[in-house]
Amino acid sequence: MTKRAFKLYRQLDAMDCGPTCLRMIAKHYGKNFSLQKLREFSGITRDGVSLLGINNAAKKLGFRCSAAKISISSLNDLTLPMIIHWDQNHFVVLYKIKNGFYYVANPAKGLLKYNYNDFLQHWLGDDELEGIILCLEPTETFYQLNSDELDKLNLKYLWGYIRAYKRLIIQLFAGLAFGIVIQLTLPFLMQVIVDIGIKTKDLNFIYIILLAQTMLTIGKVSIDFIRSWILLHISTRINISILTDFFIKLMGLPMSFFDTRMTGDIMQRIDDQKRIESFLTGSTLSVVFSFFNLIVFALILSQYNLKILLIFLASSILYCLWIIFFLKKRRTLDHERFDISAKNQSAIVQLISGMQEIKLNNSEKIKRWEWERIQSKLFKFNVQSLTLGQYQQAGTVLINETKNILITFLVASSVVKGDLTLGAMMAVQYIIGQLNSPIDQILGFVQQFQDARVSYERLNEIKNMAGEDDDQESVAKELGDNKSILLKNLTFSYPGSSARPILSNINLAFPSGKTTAIVGMSGSGKTTLLKLMLRFYEVDAGLIMIGNIPINKISFKYWRDKCGVVMQDGFIFSDTIAGNIAVSEETPDILKLRYAVKIANIGDFIDNLPLGLNTKIGAEGNGISQGQKQRILIARSVYKNPDFIFFDEATNALDANNESIIINNLKDFFKGKTVVVVAHRLSTVKSADNIVVLNNGIVSEQGSHNELVSLRGRYFSLVKNQLELDS
């Protein structure tokens, strides 16, 4: 294999280190694989991936894998590159060992070189003699796989956002062109004032020229004023368009995506769109005129003094090279900024949303310390960023000032020698100033292009993910008369490397017009079974049928429109009670609202509120109890009047009186519907037509309440205390 620099890929999210390491090694052997594919193969979760997950993914790619715990002396005998466990909570690639130094590709920090002691400290940790490695060797299967098509910065796609505002952009360009004409005029007016007005002592001439300068300046200020408003209008619209497209895509992703992503990572991606908008509306539009300015003023300067132009160009090239030298480090810092900012956002959200538990457990100090440790990392990052900026600025100031001093000397010498007039000298100095601005803008464009590219990579990853309905070529929009649910040989495991499936070989029927209750110990798979029927996740094996139609042939939106759901962790929005019950309608139907409120037995609570149904609740409104929350969630499901009802511990926070009233109210509402209820309380399940007992992911018993009690099996053990029977 030809020797070449090891290709570094950056992790896009906080928990992406394992799949990113695998991506780097695959690239080393000549194959490109998308990060999303590697995430899926690795079984990534919010906790990241395990070494077993990386091992399983590597095998799917055609690698021969060998995981081990070895001493550092054995590393030299193994094939590189390999994945190693780093700092006890991270994965990196060790790609070279040479002259006592260890070369590491860290997906969070870049390509790094360590001496023996530093490498040991990161790899082995405290009091360890051996470190964890995963050796990977490609097999013939690996080379037979096709590489993925990886998207690069798609300027055509980004241009689509600007194209909608062509008329405004034409006006913007016209304003910029007028501004350039004024700028071209000003140095000549300055020269005329000095060489003619002052030299001939003609005050009237000077007045006329100054009046012309004043009018041109007023015109330029007016154009800049109008241009700023146009730019604000365009940038705001583009900002909204990019963010709207992002949210449309984000809301179309399956629930499994949100289960594997940190909140901070998603929020940081929302911030990324601002940099793309700034790049499109700021740099991209102005850099065109910067090039034009540079060419025109350079031509004018060449007419005054060619030597000065050559000095300016030479120093500008040196200035550009100096700025470009720092671009790689700026990219590294940008990834660090994303990672730290994501953790900071997650920590702040956690502090605010978890304040009740923090106070109840007197953990204010510990949680504050956790936040302060993140701030310490943020401070170190800011120090690095400031240091880099200072080095960059020091070099640019030195280059620019040396250039300015040299040009001033040459111009002054030319005036003394009589080669230039005093007015021409002032015009040259003005032109040099005007030339410096395009250079700065062009370099700013390069830096913003780099920032936009990094941001686009993160946003593009979301854009390229398959939405819930993307893979369905033909979906059913009608269910027919048979609304029973049938599970055939269903098996499911959550993403990750769990050895035991959550559900194994489940065969169940949920008849239409009947109520089926699911009971079992915590962790037996009850809620998971509900989520599979709601299509939060896709099954590993088996089939879910709705009547005679496989559930994966039914449109997600259509299916969920037919389902009324109350989950354990149901969410109350910062909205009115009416808005929380009728969440899918902008204008609630008052008759349906009253019916839902009656069924959920929450009318008395609402009537005692000053604004009734218009009372705002949620994080920014009135606080409500858990029982009130559950009744609002029940009213929400009743309001939809669905064909399928799924309740997950929907009444566990209610008192016995409220629960009894609601259960009686729901009996009539349940008629003709397919009802699935997950509960622990006997009062909720005993009247069900069929009770299914889950144990460790398998069906252990099913039948009516009386049948299962007479069996004196698992169901009896679960409810015997509530039955007040002896074992």
Side-chain angles (χ1 to χ4, degrees), residues 81-99:
M82 67 172 67
I83 297 175
I84 61 175
H85 199 217
W86 196 251
D87 289 332
Q88 307 301 307
N89 63 354
H90 190 52
F91 291 106
V92 300
V93 176
L94 175 64
Y95 66 92
K96 185 168 68 173
I97 302 173
K98 186 176 180 181
N99 299 329

Side-chain angles (χ1 to χ4, degrees), residues 175-434:
L176 287 169
F178 185 74
I180 289 173
V181 171
I182 293 174
Q183 286 179 324
L184 288 172
T185 307
L186 290 175
F188 296 109
L189 291 177
M190 187 182 299
Q191 182 179 355
V192 168
I193 287 175
V194 175
D195 289 347
I196 298 176
I198 295 176
K199 190 173 182 180
T200 61
K201 300 180 181 180
D202 188 345
L203 281 176
N204 291 328
F205 181 79
I206 292 173
Y207 291 152
I208 293 171
I209 299 299
L210 288 177
L211 181 62
Q213 277 189 322
T214 303
M215 297 306 294
L216 288 173
T217 303
I218 291 172
K220 185 176 184 300
V221 169
S222 300
I223 291 295
D224 288 343
F225 183 81
I226 296 169
R227 189 182 68 182
S228 297
W229 279 102
I230 294 173
L231 197 58
L232 175 65
H233 180 79
I234 295 173
S235 61
T236 303
R237 294 293 183 89
I238 290 176
N239 195 8
I240 293 170
S241 297
I242 295 174
L243 200 52
T244 299
D245 288 348
F246 175 75
F247 276 123
I248 289 171
K249 184 62 184 182
L250 191 68
M251 290 178 175
L253 294 176
M255 281 301 302
S256 56
F257 167 82
F258 299 95
D259 287 343
T260 60
R261 298 305 171 97
M262 305 293 285
T263 304
D265 286 338
I266 297 174
M267 292 175 70
Q268 278 302 115
R269 278 175 167 78
I270 295 172
D271 289 340
D272 275 335
Q273 55 81 27
K274 293 178 184 176
R275 298 206 300 186
I276 293 175
E277 174 265 318
S278 177
F279 169 72
L280 290 177
T281 58
S283 299
T284 306
L285 295 177
S286 62
V287 76
V288 176
F289 290 95
S290 294
F291 274 114
F292 183 74
N293 264 354
L294 185 64
I295 293 168
V296 172
F297 278 108
L299 289 173
I300 294 171
L301 183 59
S302 68
Q303 299 303 310
Y304 280 100
N305 192 311
L306 187 59
K307 187 186 293 185
I308 293 173
L309 175 62
L310 293 174
I311 291 171
F312 174 82
L313 292 176
S315 61
S316 295
I317 291 170
L318 183 61
Y319 174 62
C320 293
L321 292 174
W322 178 255
I323 296 295
I324 291 170
F325 174 74
F326 288 92
L327 287 180
K328 186 176 180 181
K329 183 62 178 175
R330 285 186 76 256
R331 182 182 174 88
T332 300
L333 287 177
D334 189 78
H335 282 283
E336 289 185 26
R337 178 200 61 80
F338 179 87
D339 184 38
I340 297 170
S341 298
K343 290 177 181 175
N344 189 41
Q345 294 227 31
S346 294
I348 292 171
V349 169
Q350 184 173 264
L351 279 175
I352 296 170
S353 59
M355 190 57 69
Q356 175 178 293
E357 294 302 315
I358 290 171
K359 286 185 173 295
L360 288 174
N361 292 282
N362 289 327
S363 58
E364 291 96 334
K365 186 183 290 185
I366 292 173
K367 294 300 178 184
R368 193 186 75 245
W369 284 351
E370 289 178 3
W371 176 80
E372 287 177 354
R373 280 193 285 270
I374 295 174
Q375 301 314 300
S376 176
K377 292 180 181 178
L378 196 58
F379 173 75
K380 289 178 181 177
F381 164 78
N382 288 333
V383 169
Q384 285 182 295
S385 184
L386 177 62
T387 303
L388 181 72
Q390 286 177 329
Y391 282 132
Q392 183 173 310
Q393 187 178 16
T396 55
V397 169
L398 181 64
I399 294 168
N400 273 333
E401 290 306 313
T402 303
K403 173 197 69 180
N404 291 336
I405 290 169
L406 187 57
I407 289 175
T408 301
F409 171 75
L410 287 173
V411 172
S413 299
S414 298
V415 172
V416 171
K417 293 175 183 177
D419 296 334
L420 280 178
T421 64
L422 186 61
M425 183 187 81
M426 296 179 68
V428 167
Q429 294 288 51
Y430 178 86
I431 291 168
I432 293 296
Q434 293 303 310

Side-chain angles (χ1 to χ4, degrees), residues 509-629:
F510 301 89
S512 177
K514 303 288 185 181
T515 299
T516 305
I518 305 174
V519 299
M521 298 286 286
S522 295
S524 59
K526 305 184 298 297
T527 299
T528 300
L529 191 59
L530 225 62
K531 288 182 176 180
L532 289 175
M533 288 188 280
L534 289 167
R535 294 200 70 188
F536 281 15
Y537 310 100
E538 297 298 322
V539 300
D540 296 341
L543 198 61
I544 301 176
M545 302 288 292
I546 309 300
N548 299 318
I549 306 172
I551 197 170
N552 59 0
K553 296 296 183 183
I554 302 171
S555 163
F556 278 87
K557 289 184 180 295
Y558 179 75
W559 170 237
R560 288 172 186 163
D561 190 50
K562 296 295 180 183
C563 297
V565 185
V566 178
M567 303 298 290
Q568 290 185 54
D569 52 355
F571 188 78
I572 296 295
F573 297 94
S574 291
D575 198 353
T576 62
I577 294 175
N580 265 288
I581 294 173
V583 289
S584 57
E585 295 181 4
E586 192 170 349
T587 305
D589 184 314
I590 192 66
L591 294 178
K592 289 170 64 178
L593 268 177
R594 288 173 180 167
Y595 178 70
V597 165
K598 178 185 175 183
I599 296 293
N601 194 37
I602 199 172
D604 291 342
F605 164 69
I606 294 172
D607 291 340
N608 289 327
L609 294 171
L611 299 177
L613 284 166
N614 293 318
T615 303
K616 192 170 185 179
I617 57 175
E620 298 177 3
N622 290 345
I624 56 175
S625 69
Q626 283 296 315
Q628 291 161 347
K629 173 184 173 180

